[in-house]
Amino acid sequence: MRTAALRATFVLLAAVGCSSDSPPDPVLVEGIRVTPQSVQLSAIGETRQLTAAISPVNATDQAITWESADSAVASVDADGLVTARAAGTGVFVTAITHDGHHESSANVSVIP
């Protein structure tokens, strides 16, 4: 009887020791794409929404930041909304993944 109880205890402890409480492995970002990739704004104050798609779609870290190469001509907010500020061409508005390893840009021109 004592041997059976010891065996049952060992089996129970082995089963508990095999469970995994660790979180699943993160799905790493493989790329990002901004659309549209070319934007022409024809009036100061005009806006255009850019979108950024991270791949794969189930990547764990979906955070991005937006930057404008010349915010005096075309500014961009945290959600990718571009605003024409002054006449100019060839302004790259870029979305950058949180890990900093991937980026994609739209070429923005303001021609009022």
Side-chain angles (χ1 to χ4, degrees), residues 31-36 49-55 62-66 78-80 93-97 103-105:
I32 186 170
R33 181 171 173 87
V34 169
T35 54
Q49 183 66 54
L50 300 179
T51 59
I54 289 178
S55 62
Q62 294 281 324
I64 60 168
T65 55
W66 291 92
D79 297 317
V93 174
T94 305
I96 305 163
T97 59
E103 60 183 56
S104 180
S105 299

mmCIF file of all heavy atoms in Angstrom, residues 31-36 49-55 62-66 78-80 93-97 103-105:
data_model
loop_
_atom_site.group_PDB
_atom_site.id
_atom_site.type_symbol
_atom_site.label_atom_id
_atom_site.label_comp_id
_atom_site.label_asym_id
_atom_site.label_seq_id
_atom_site.Cartn_x
_atom_site.Cartn_y
_atom_site.Cartn_z
ATOM 1 N N GLY A 31 8.458 42.730 -41.616
ATOM 2 C CA GLY A 31 8.432 43.863 -42.531
ATOM 3 C C GLY A 31 7.296 44.808 -42.221
ATOM 4 O O GLY A 31 6.462 44.557 -41.351
ATOM 5 N N ILE A 32 7.273 45.915 -42.967
ATOM 6 C CA ILE A 32 6.217 46.921 -42.829
ATOM 7 C C ILE A 32 6.029 47.567 -44.201
ATOM 8 O O ILE A 32 6.984 47.681 -44.973
ATOM 9 C CB ILE A 32 6.581 47.976 -41.745
ATOM 10 C CG1 ILE A 32 5.429 48.944 -41.500
ATOM 11 C CG2 ILE A 32 7.854 48.703 -42.107
ATOM 12 C CD1 ILE A 32 5.623 49.856 -40.294
ATOM 13 N N ARG A 33 4.791 47.964 -44.507
ATOM 14 C CA ARG A 33 4.506 48.609 -45.789
ATOM 15 C C ARG A 33 3.537 49.759 -45.562
ATOM 16 O O ARG A 33 2.477 49.584 -44.961
ATOM 17 C CB ARG A 33 3.919 47.617 -46.771
ATOM 18 C CG ARG A 33 3.621 48.222 -48.135
ATOM 19 C CD ARG A 33 3.258 47.155 -49.141
ATOM 20 N NE ARG A 33 2.808 47.711 -50.393
ATOM 21 C CZ ARG A 33 3.612 48.052 -51.396
ATOM 22 N NH1 ARG A 33 4.899 47.900 -51.286
ATOM 23 N NH2 ARG A 33 3.112 48.537 -52.508
ATOM 24 N N VAL A 34 3.931 50.921 -46.072
ATOM 25 C CA VAL A 34 3.088 52.114 -45.990
ATOM 26 C C VAL A 34 2.301 52.254 -47.292
ATOM 27 O O VAL A 34 2.854 52.065 -48.382
ATOM 28 C CB VAL A 34 3.950 53.377 -45.744
ATOM 29 C CG1 VAL A 34 3.130 54.642 -45.928
ATOM 30 C CG2 VAL A 34 4.562 53.346 -44.355
ATOM 31 N N THR A 35 1.020 52.594 -47.156
ATOM 32 C CA THR A 35 0.200 52.908 -48.329
ATOM 33 C C THR A 35 -0.595 54.164 -48.063
ATOM 34 O O THR A 35 -0.993 54.393 -46.919
ATOM 35 C CB THR A 35 -0.773 51.752 -48.677
ATOM 36 O OG1 THR A 35 -1.544 51.433 -47.528
ATOM 37 C CG2 THR A 35 -0.022 50.534 -49.163
ATOM 38 N N PRO A 36 -0.834 54.991 -49.059
ATOM 39 C CA PRO A 36 -0.211 54.931 -50.372
ATOM 40 C C PRO A 36 1.273 55.298 -50.279
ATOM 41 O O PRO A 36 1.703 55.919 -49.308
ATOM 42 C CB PRO A 36 -0.978 55.952 -51.199
ATOM 43 C CG PRO A 36 -1.454 56.960 -50.192
ATOM 44 C CD PRO A 36 -1.710 56.163 -48.930
ATOM 45 N N GLN A 49 -4.503 60.447 -44.997
ATOM 46 C CA GLN A 49 -4.219 59.370 -44.057
ATOM 47 C C GLN A 49 -3.324 58.327 -44.705
ATOM 48 O O GLN A 49 -3.632 57.803 -45.762
ATOM 49 C CB GLN A 49 -5.517 58.703 -43.592
ATOM 50 C CG GLN A 49 -5.317 57.609 -42.557
ATOM 51 C CD GLN A 49 -4.793 58.151 -41.242
ATOM 52 O OE1 GLN A 49 -5.380 59.055 -40.655
ATOM 53 N NE2 GLN A 49 -3.685 57.599 -40.777
ATOM 54 N N LEU A 50 -2.189 58.039 -44.066
ATOM 55 C CA LEU A 50 -1.334 56.937 -44.469
ATOM 56 C C LEU A 50 -1.624 55.763 -43.540
ATOM 57 O O LEU A 50 -2.018 55.956 -42.387
ATOM 58 C CB LEU A 50 0.147 57.307 -44.363
ATOM 59 C CG LEU A 50 0.636 58.487 -45.193
ATOM 60 C CD1 LEU A 50 2.122 58.727 -44.953
ATOM 61 C CD2 LEU A 50 0.366 58.257 -46.670
ATOM 62 N N THR A 51 -1.435 54.557 -44.047
ATOM 63 C CA THR A 51 -1.576 53.378 -43.200
ATOM 64 C C THR A 51 -0.301 52.557 -43.297
ATOM 65 O O THR A 51 0.383 52.565 -44.322
ATOM 66 C CB THR A 51 -2.783 52.503 -43.607
ATOM 67 O OG1 THR A 51 -2.617 52.087 -44.959
ATOM 68 C CG2 THR A 51 -4.086 53.253 -43.462
ATOM 69 N N ALA A 52 -0.004 51.870 -42.229
ATOM 70 C CA ALA A 52 1.166 50.996 -42.192
ATOM 71 C C ALA A 52 0.698 49.609 -41.797
ATOM 72 O O ALA A 52 -0.024 49.444 -40.814
ATOM 73 C CB ALA A 52 2.195 51.509 -41.194
ATOM 74 N N ALA A 53 1.113 48.618 -42.583
ATOM 75 C CA ALA A 53 0.764 47.225 -42.301
ATOM 76 C C ALA A 53 2.031 46.465 -41.944
ATOM 77 O O ALA A 53 2.985 46.433 -42.723
ATOM 78 C CB ALA A 53 0.090 46.597 -43.504
ATOM 79 N N ILE A 54 2.028 45.882 -40.760
ATOM 80 C CA ILE A 54 3.162 45.078 -40.302
ATOM 81 C C ILE A 54 2.926 43.636 -40.727
ATOM 82 O O ILE A 54 1.807 43.137 -40.687
ATOM 83 C CB ILE A 54 3.310 45.182 -38.767
ATOM 84 C CG1 ILE A 54 3.818 46.569 -38.398
ATOM 85 C CG2 ILE A 54 4.207 44.085 -38.216
ATOM 86 C CD1 ILE A 54 3.960 46.818 -36.921
ATOM 87 N N SER A 55 4.004 42.995 -41.153
ATOM 88 C CA SER A 55 3.901 41.573 -41.474
ATOM 89 C C SER A 55 4.895 40.793 -40.624
ATOM 90 O O SER A 55 5.964 41.313 -40.304
ATOM 91 C CB SER A 55 4.159 41.330 -42.967
ATOM 92 O OG SER A 55 5.471 41.733 -43.303
ATOM 93 N N GLN A 62 3.114 45.285 -32.585
ATOM 94 C CA GLN A 62 2.512 46.014 -33.695
ATOM 95 C C GLN A 62 2.762 47.523 -33.609
ATOM 96 O O GLN A 62 2.266 48.280 -34.438
ATOM 97 C CB GLN A 62 1.000 45.756 -33.725
ATOM 98 C CG GLN A 62 0.625 44.331 -34.052
ATOM 99 C CD GLN A 62 0.716 44.022 -35.534
ATOM 100 O OE1 GLN A 62 0.419 44.858 -36.376
ATOM 101 N NE2 GLN A 62 1.152 42.816 -35.855
ATOM 102 N N ALA A 63 3.538 47.962 -32.636
ATOM 103 C CA ALA A 63 3.757 49.395 -32.432
ATOM 104 C C ALA A 63 4.641 49.984 -33.528
ATOM 105 O O ALA A 63 5.623 49.371 -33.947
ATOM 106 C CB ALA A 63 4.401 49.638 -31.069
ATOM 107 N N ILE A 64 4.269 51.184 -33.981
ATOM 108 C CA ILE A 64 5.072 51.903 -34.968
ATOM 109 C C ILE A 64 5.165 53.373 -34.571
ATOM 110 O O ILE A 64 4.349 53.867 -33.798
ATOM 111 C CB ILE A 64 4.484 51.808 -36.386
ATOM 112 C CG1 ILE A 64 3.074 52.405 -36.438
ATOM 113 C CG2 ILE A 64 4.499 50.391 -36.905
ATOM 114 C CD1 ILE A 64 2.547 52.596 -37.828
ATOM 115 N N THR A 65 6.160 54.049 -35.122
ATOM 116 C CA THR A 65 6.257 55.500 -34.995
ATOM 117 C C THR A 65 6.318 56.079 -36.400
ATOM 118 O O THR A 65 6.752 55.418 -37.343
ATOM 119 C CB THR A 65 7.507 55.938 -34.208
ATOM 120 O OG1 THR A 65 8.669 55.376 -34.821
ATOM 121 C CG2 THR A 65 7.439 55.472 -32.769
ATOM 122 N N TRP A 66 5.876 57.318 -36.517
ATOM 123 C CA TRP A 66 5.870 58.023 -37.801
ATOM 124 C C TRP A 66 6.831 59.190 -37.726
ATOM 125 O O TRP A 66 6.915 59.867 -36.698
ATOM 126 C CB TRP A 66 4.467 58.543 -38.109
ATOM 127 C CG TRP A 66 3.465 57.493 -38.421
ATOM 128 C CD1 TRP A 66 2.628 56.871 -37.550
ATOM 129 C CD2 TRP A 66 3.202 56.929 -39.706
ATOM 130 N NE1 TRP A 66 1.854 55.958 -38.207
ATOM 131 C CE2 TRP A 66 2.179 55.970 -39.542
ATOM 132 C CE3 TRP A 66 3.721 57.144 -40.981
ATOM 133 C CZ2 TRP A 66 1.669 55.229 -40.607
ATOM 134 C CZ3 TRP A 66 3.205 56.408 -42.039
ATOM 135 C CH2 TRP A 66 2.198 55.467 -41.851
ATOM 136 N N ALA A 78 0.925 60.882 -34.843
ATOM 137 C CA ALA A 78 1.196 59.527 -34.346
ATOM 138 C C ALA A 78 0.336 58.463 -35.016
ATOM 139 O O ALA A 78 0.652 57.274 -34.948
ATOM 140 C CB ALA A 78 0.989 59.477 -32.831
ATOM 141 N N ASP A 79 -0.734 58.872 -35.694
ATOM 142 C CA ASP A 79 -1.627 57.923 -36.362
ATOM 143 C C ASP A 79 -1.414 57.863 -37.873
ATOM 144 O O ASP A 79 -2.179 57.209 -38.584
ATOM 145 C CB ASP A 79 -3.084 58.274 -36.070
ATOM 146 C CG ASP A 79 -3.404 58.163 -34.589
ATOM 147 O OD1 ASP A 79 -2.955 57.180 -33.957
ATOM 148 O OD2 ASP A 79 -4.089 59.061 -34.066
ATOM 149 N N GLY A 80 -0.402 58.591 -38.388
ATOM 150 C CA GLY A 80 -0.113 58.564 -39.822
ATOM 151 C C GLY A 80 -0.880 59.579 -40.640
ATOM 152 O O GLY A 80 -0.893 59.506 -41.866
ATOM 153 N N VAL A 93 7.777 60.513 -45.653
ATOM 154 C CA VAL A 93 7.100 60.259 -44.381
ATOM 155 C C VAL A 93 7.243 58.760 -44.140
ATOM 156 O O VAL A 93 6.844 57.945 -44.971
ATOM 157 C CB VAL A 93 5.628 60.689 -44.428
ATOM 158 C CG1 VAL A 93 4.905 60.290 -43.146
ATOM 159 C CG2 VAL A 93 5.530 62.200 -44.659
ATOM 160 N N THR A 94 7.844 58.418 -43.001
ATOM 161 C CA THR A 94 8.278 57.046 -42.754
ATOM 162 C C THR A 94 7.627 56.461 -41.512
ATOM 163 O O THR A 94 7.537 57.120 -40.479
ATOM 164 C CB THR A 94 9.820 57.016 -42.597
ATOM 165 O OG1 THR A 94 10.404 57.602 -43.755
ATOM 166 C CG2 THR A 94 10.339 55.607 -42.413
ATOM 167 N N ALA A 95 7.201 55.205 -41.648
ATOM 168 C CA ALA A 95 6.722 54.418 -40.507
ATOM 169 C C ALA A 95 7.853 53.481 -40.110
ATOM 170 O O ALA A 95 8.457 52.818 -40.962
ATOM 171 C CB ALA A 95 5.487 53.619 -40.883
ATOM 172 N N ILE A 96 8.141 53.429 -38.808
ATOM 173 C CA ILE A 96 9.247 52.628 -38.289
ATOM 174 C C ILE A 96 8.692 51.676 -37.233
ATOM 175 O O ILE A 96 7.950 52.098 -36.332
ATOM 176 C CB ILE A 96 10.335 53.517 -37.671
ATOM 177 C CG1 ILE A 96 10.810 54.554 -38.691
ATOM 178 C CG2 ILE A 96 11.498 52.682 -37.141
ATOM 179 C CD1 ILE A 96 11.564 55.705 -38.094
ATOM 180 N N THR A 97 9.059 50.396 -37.334
ATOM 181 C CA THR A 97 8.603 49.435 -36.338
ATOM 182 C C THR A 97 9.256 49.734 -34.996
ATOM 183 O O THR A 97 10.336 50.327 -34.926
ATOM 184 C CB THR A 97 8.924 47.987 -36.762
ATOM 185 O OG1 THR A 97 10.331 47.851 -36.947
ATOM 186 C CG2 THR A 97 8.179 47.602 -38.024
ATOM 187 N N GLU A 103 11.337 49.651 -41.813
ATOM 188 C CA GLU A 103 10.684 50.924 -42.106
ATOM 189 C C GLU A 103 10.186 50.932 -43.536
ATOM 190 O O GLU A 103 10.657 50.176 -44.382
ATOM 191 C CB GLU A 103 11.620 52.107 -41.853
ATOM 192 C CG GLU A 103 12.877 52.128 -42.666
ATOM 193 C CD GLU A 103 13.779 53.304 -42.299
ATOM 194 O OE1 GLU A 103 14.133 53.441 -41.118
ATOM 195 O OE2 GLU A 103 14.116 54.064 -43.213
ATOM 196 N N SER A 104 9.207 51.808 -43.779
ATOM 197 C CA SER A 104 8.645 51.992 -45.102
ATOM 198 C C SER A 104 8.203 53.445 -45.197
ATOM 199 O O SER A 104 7.800 54.042 -44.201
ATOM 200 C CB SER A 104 7.456 51.046 -45.321
ATOM 201 O OG SER A 104 6.901 51.224 -46.593
ATOM 202 N N SER A 105 8.276 54.019 -46.409
ATOM 203 C CA SER A 105 8.008 55.445 -46.564
ATOM 204 C C SER A 105 7.017 55.727 -47.673
ATOM 205 O O SER A 105 6.841 54.937 -48.596
ATOM 206 C CB SER A 105 9.309 56.193 -46.889
ATOM 207 O OG SER A 105 10.245 56.048 -45.865
#
